[in-house]
Amino acid sequence: MDDQRRLRNALGEFATGVVVVTAKGASGELAGMTMNSFSAVSLDPPLVLFSIGRQAHSLQAFRSSGHVAINVLASDQEALSNQFARPLTDKWAGVDYTPGLGGAPLLKGALAHFECAPHAEFDGGDHIIFVVRVARFSARPGAHDPLLFLRGRYRRVRNDWQMEADWPLAIHY
Ligand SMILES: Cc1cc2nc3c(=O)[nH]c(=O)nc-3n(C[C@H](O)[C@H](O)[C@H](O)COP(=O)(O)O)c2cc1C
């Protein structure tokens, strides 16, 4: 197995959720991409990040848009995740959304929406790291399970086992 494949496999041991990041580009076109590089960064100011491959067709739309929306997918939104993971094709056919800040689409049925303004961009090798500032958000905590991604596959939460942890945890975070 070559080194890149081994690295991909090793990285795949890190379980994540799945988001669709959306935007309305400067010329009015809608962009949407499935991503699992989303991460919380800072509470004060409220910052989050995601990274976009330099070869992505939607990159220009994301760079030219004022705002982006990060839509956290629920476990029954696997088809939507696949729809937004395909290059170019009409990703928006049959997609239910309402326009958020800057026209960035808020996908119906998502567990949480983060509407964000640009903050900083960093070189991330074959990706570009976007740090964005949360301007508005909404969530339905516990309303539905999240869609998960692990070892190159979608997964679901198993609710028959829970860590017994008292918040806030005694460890420093
Ligand atoms: C679960 C999952 C996670 C993904 N995460 C990312 C990501 O974090 N960054 C990225 O650039 N592409 C990611 N992709 C691939 C993009 O979704 C895909 O290449 C993109 O939609 C192509 O868009 P384009 O039409 O702009 O080229 C992911 C795909 C899947 C299925």
Side-chain angles (χ1 to χ4, degrees), residues 18 32-37 51-53 55-58 81 84-88 91 127 149 154:
V18 181
M33 270 182 70
T34 300
M35 297 190 209
N36 69 341
S37 56
S51 60
I52 300 185
Q55 81 299 336
H57 299 99
S58 324
S81 175
F84 282 101
R86 287 192 197 100
L88 268 182
K91 293 176 172 178
H127 281 56
F149 196 68
Y154 297 114

Side-chain angles (χ1 to χ4, degrees), residues 154-170:
Y154 297 114
R155 314 275 173 168
R156 279 167 197 228
V157 174
R158 249 179 76 170
N159 283 316
D160 59 355
W161 182 84
Q162 283 185 343
M163 296 261 270
E164 286 184 24
D166 288 329
W167 286 93
L169 290 178

Side-chain angles (χ1 to χ4, degrees):
M1 208 188 307
D2 66 50
D3 275 359
Q4 216 175 74
R5 169 54 59 186
R6 284 179 48 244
L7 176 59
R8 273 182 88 107
N9 289 351
L11 292 169
E13 294 296 316
F14 184 61
T16 67
V18 181
V19 301
V20 173
V21 184
T22 62
K24 186 174 182 178
S27 41
E29 77 282 18
L30 295 183
M33 270 182 70
T34 300
M35 297 190 209
N36 69 341
S37 56
F38 172 64
S39 182
V41 176
S42 161
L43 287 178
D44 184 18
L47 302 176
V48 298
L49 68 74
F50 55 86
S51 60
I52 300 185
R54 288 184 186 275
Q55 81 299 336
H57 299 99
S58 324
L59 182 59
Q60 209 36 52
F62 282 108
R63 283 189 130 165
S64 69
S65 70
H67 286 83
V68 300
I70 296 161
N71 301 270
V72 179
L73 297 192
S75 60
D76 61 356
Q77 292 185 304
E78 197 176 314
L80 205 58
S81 175
N82 287 335
Q83 183 153 342
F84 282 101
R86 287 192 197 100
L88 268 182
T89 54
D90 185 10
K91 293 176 172 178
W92 293 93
V95 176
D96 220 341
Y97 67 89
T98 54
L101 293 175
L106 306 177
L107 303 183
K108 196 175 166 205
L111 293 184
H113 299 117
F114 299 95
E115 297 171 70
C116 306
H119 178 78
E121 262 181 53
F122 298 99
D123 173 27
D126 57 14
H127 281 56
I128 296 173
I129 302 163
F130 290 80
V131 177
V132 294
R133 185 184 181 116
V134 180
R136 196 161 75 180
F137 68 95
S138 64
R140 307 184 286 143
H144 208 298
D145 283 339
L147 182 63
L148 304 179
F149 196 68
L150 171 71
R151 298 182 187 133
R153 289 175 163 217
Y154 297 114
R155 314 275 173 168
R156 279 167 197 228
V157 174
R158 249 179 76 170
N159 283 316
D160 59 355
W161 182 84
Q162 283 185 343
M163 296 261 270
E164 286 184 24
D166 288 329
W167 286 93
L169 290 178
I171 55 173
H172 179 71
Y173 177 69

